[in-house]
Amino acid sequence: MGIRSALKKELMNLDSQGLMTADDVRHYLQMHLTRVKDKNMHCFNLIARFNTHHNQVQSGLLSQEIALTHEQHRLFKEVLYPKSALQKWLAQQ
């Protein structure tokens, strides 16, 4: 993570609000899928699905991932994901 990203994340105070950036979500998926037998392919598929969802959200299009809710930061206009929604989406996979 670069210094700008770290500073921006700290200014948004995401940890105390239970929110994650798209990069945080990708890192979370990689770290928490170590128990899967075919980890590489499963992790790749989930990250690809998340990336597709994130790109659709940024473009203003509807996404197929209904359980993966998001919100937009008021000041920085960054798309953020609640950690609870991510865990719920991951449990459905």
Side-chain angles (χ1 to χ4, degrees):
M1 179 184 304
I3 189 73
R4 285 185 178 181
S5 299
L7 183 58
K8 188 176 180 181
K9 185 176 173 183
E10 188 173 327
L11 286 173
M12 288 192 284
N13 195 22
L14 299 179
D15 293 332
S16 67
Q17 297 175 12
L19 298 172
M20 303 169 80
T21 63
D23 289 334
D24 294 337
V25 171
R26 290 180 194 104
H27 182 70
Y28 181 87
L29 290 173
Q30 285 179 336
M31 299 307 291
H32 285 85
L33 292 175
T34 57
R35 295 179 302 258
V36 177
K37 186 176 182 180
D38 189 16
K39 175 193 169 237
N40 291 335
M41 189 55 123
H42 186 67
C43 185
F44 178 77
N45 287 338
L46 280 178
I47 291 174
R49 283 179 58 192
F50 171 75
N51 285 337
T52 301
H53 167 75
H54 185 67
N55 288 337
Q56 289 172 338
V57 167
Q58 284 184 319
S59 300
L61 301 173
L62 294 176
S63 174
Q64 300 293 330
E65 306 293 340
I66 297 168
L68 191 54
T69 60
H70 66 279
E71 56 187 71
Q72 191 172 24
H73 193 272
R74 291 178 294 175
L75 180 62
F76 292 103
K77 305 297 183 209
E78 179 103 13
V79 176
L80 304 171
Y81 299 92
K83 191 171 186 174
S84 59
L86 175 65
Q87 291 169 341
K88 184 175 155 182
W89 177 73
L90 194 56
Q92 292 177 352
Q93 306 311 311

